[in-house]
Amino acid sequence: MSAGKNPYQRYYILNACFTNRQKPEWTKEELIRKLNENDFAVSARTIDNDLSAMRDDKRLGFFAPIKFCRKAYAYHYTDPEYSIDKLPLTSDEIEAFELIVESFKRFRGAQVFKNVAGIFDKLDKVVKQQAKPKKGEVTYSVVDFEKVPNSKGIEHFDKLHSAIIKQQPLLVAYKRFDQPVRDHVFHPYLLKEYKFRWYVLGYSEPSRKKIILALDRIENLTIKKIPFKPYTGIDVQKYFDHTIGVTVNADGVKEVQLWCSVSQGHYFKTQPLHETQQILSDDATGLVLSLQLVINYELLQTLLAFGAEVKVLKPASLQQQVKDMIVRGMKLYELNPS
């Protein structure tokens, strides 16, 4: 590993040397060898720079008490109790770690994340121990994240994650709602989250095309020892760039124009409906937006949720779909007037 990469790892290795009770003093040559043993190819100049940074760099905040002893021709900590592991967190660091820990909780239940769950549990405890409120400060968490429900199918996340990385085909037993289980010889490419549900994009041999499977409808999956079919087409990470949700159809991307009320327009200006959003007009009559999107069911759901605040201007086919959905909804209430 080159010296320029992962300087923090080097700092912790140097710290481990100086906190070694049996050998607290280290020559520069010994430090170089120690770093080499840990796959860091370093020079004497790198050691000088690292020691200087640990001593004086205000951004690091270590202020390590490193001193050079001319008699022993070696470096050591003047405070035998010092360690960068024992440094207290700053208030900014505590606030940042609180957000990280809360964000991580959305992945609870996935086996692949259980390997690091203990780290976040420890970090959570450290933050709570060090985040002692000062007089006049609140004692509760001031960030309330959207609650993540227990998601069925998350137990398959780790196997799919591993199969994508290792390019391993899978035999997937998949059950659509109200349909019998169907087996797919499946080549997975990408995991996608939408509204707290997980999906996987891949190539299905029975369907002879790319499909998207919902993890909560997977009954079972096992490794299939056959050649892997690589992903073809545009960059896989751009596959969902023009979708709201996870459904991508053969019709491709269309220009969608929407009229929004003045009040709803304020929200779309501060938080766009989609990253392709462009404002065509903005006046006292409302806001007109243009978006480049795939027309799918999730888009319909999103538009219907805005009620009378948003109207589809084009394409005409999408406008008709929204009208039909509204009419069907009205009929439900006509049949049940109470």
Side-chain angles (χ1 to χ4, degrees):
M1 187 181 297
S2 67
K5 295 182 178 179
N6 298 312
Y8 277 88
Q9 290 186 25
R10 298 200 306 272
Y11 301 150
Y12 276 90
I13 292 169
L14 295 173
N15 179 72
C17 292
F18 297 136
T19 55
N20 187 329
R21 298 286 185 177
Q22 282 71 43
K23 181 177 171 53
E25 294 185 328
W26 291 73
T27 66
K28 189 177 295 185
E29 291 73 20
E30 288 173 332
L31 293 174
I32 291 173
R33 283 199 297 271
K34 191 66 175 178
L35 287 167
N36 285 337
E37 289 171 9
N38 286 273
D39 199 27
F40 284 96
V42 298
S43 64
R45 183 176 181 180
T46 301
I47 294 293
D48 289 337
N49 291 337
D50 284 354
L51 295 178
S52 177
M54 291 175 70
R55 261 192 310 249
D56 306 317
D57 194 324
K58 293 181 180 179
R59 293 170 299 178
L60 286 175
F62 292 161
F63 302 112
I66 301 171
K67 187 174 181 179
F68 179 72
C69 177
R70 293 188 178 278
K71 184 176 180 181
Y73 212 72
Y75 297 88
H76 67 281
Y77 282 163
T78 56
D79 180 0
E81 300 302 318
Y82 175 87
S83 173
I84 61 176
D85 293 321
K86 298 179 181 179
L87 292 178
L89 296 173
T90 66
S91 59
D92 287 344
E93 288 170 335
I94 290 171
E95 290 175 12
F97 284 138
E98 283 177 337
L99 289 174
I100 291 170
V101 170
E102 286 299 319
S103 299
F104 175 79
K105 290 178 181 177
R106 70 194 298 116
F107 297 104
R108 296 280 189 184
Q111 185 66 35
V112 70
F113 289 101
K114 286 183 178 178
N115 298 328
V116 295
I119 296 173
F120 279 85
D121 288 338
K122 291 175 183 176
L123 183 57
D124 194 19
K125 290 177 182 177
V126 169
V127 168
K128 287 176 179 176
Q129 287 172 356
Q130 297 207 24
K132 295 178 181 178
K134 298 177 182 178
K135 187 176 181 180
E137 292 183 340
V138 297
T139 58
Y140 57 87
S141 175
V142 297
V143 178
D144 186 15
F145 285 88
E146 190 168 357
K147 302 300 184 289
V148 182
N150 292 326
S151 180
K152 184 178 181 294
I154 194 70
E155 65 273 14
H156 302 305
F157 187 101
D158 58 308
K159 281 187 179 180
L160 288 164
H161 183 267
S162 176
I164 292 170
I165 292 174
K166 297 177 181 177
Q167 294 194 312
Q168 292 176 329
L170 299 166
L171 180 62
V172 179
Y174 191 75
K175 188 180 187 309
R176 294 184 180 276
F177 296 131
D178 302 321
Q179 291 186 18
V181 175
R182 182 187 182 192
D183 286 337
H184 290 266
V185 176
F186 189 72
H187 304 257
Y189 302 135
L190 184 71
L191 284 156
K192 166 76 173 176
E193 184 194 22
Y194 178 65
K195 289 188 175 180
F196 302 128
R197 289 180 181 269
W198 284 96
Y199 302 82
V200 59
L201 165 69
Y203 180 85
S204 167
E205 291 193 10
S207 301
R208 296 184 179 180
K209 63 180 181 180
K210 298 184 187 78
I211 63 172
I212 296 159
L213 302 179
L215 268 62
D216 61 352
R217 282 164 247 168
I218 293 176
E219 299 284 315
N220 188 41
L221 53 84
T222 54
I223 293 172
K224 187 81 172 173
K225 294 184 178 180
I226 58 173
F228 185 80
K229 182 178 178 62
Y231 176 86
T232 57
I234 61 171
D235 184 346
V236 67
Q237 291 185 314
K238 296 181 179 179
Y239 190 85
F240 295 101
D241 276 4
H242 292 277
T243 64
I244 289 177
V246 295
T247 307
V248 179
N249 54 49
D251 294 337
V253 179
K254 307 288 185 183
E255 182 188 10
V256 175
Q257 285 189 12
L258 305 174
W259 168 87
C260 316
S261 67
V262 173
S263 59
Q264 185 61 51
H266 293 319
Y267 289 97
F268 286 152
K269 283 186 284 187
T270 55
Q271 184 173 337
L273 184 61
H274 188 263
E275 61 182 12
T276 61
Q277 173 178 305
Q278 291 186 337
I279 297 175
L280 300 182
S281 66
D282 182 13
D283 54 35
T285 65
L287 186 71
V288 177
L289 304 175
S290 171
L291 306 103
Q292 302 297 318
L293 293 172
V294 170
I295 309 298
N296 59 16
Y297 183 70
E298 295 97 309
L299 174 59
L300 271 172
Q301 285 184 314
T302 301
L303 295 174
L304 287 166
F306 294 115
E309 302 297 316
V310 174
K311 176 184 176 181
V312 176
L313 300 179
K314 62 181 293 191
S317 58
L318 176 60
Q319 187 183 75
Q320 189 60 51
Q321 283 180 281
V322 173
K323 284 182 181 179
D324 292 343
M325 293 286 280
I326 292 172
V327 170
R328 286 168 58 190
M330 290 297 294
K331 285 181 178 179
L332 288 176
Y333 288 95
E334 290 173 5
L335 292 172
N336 300 283
S338 59

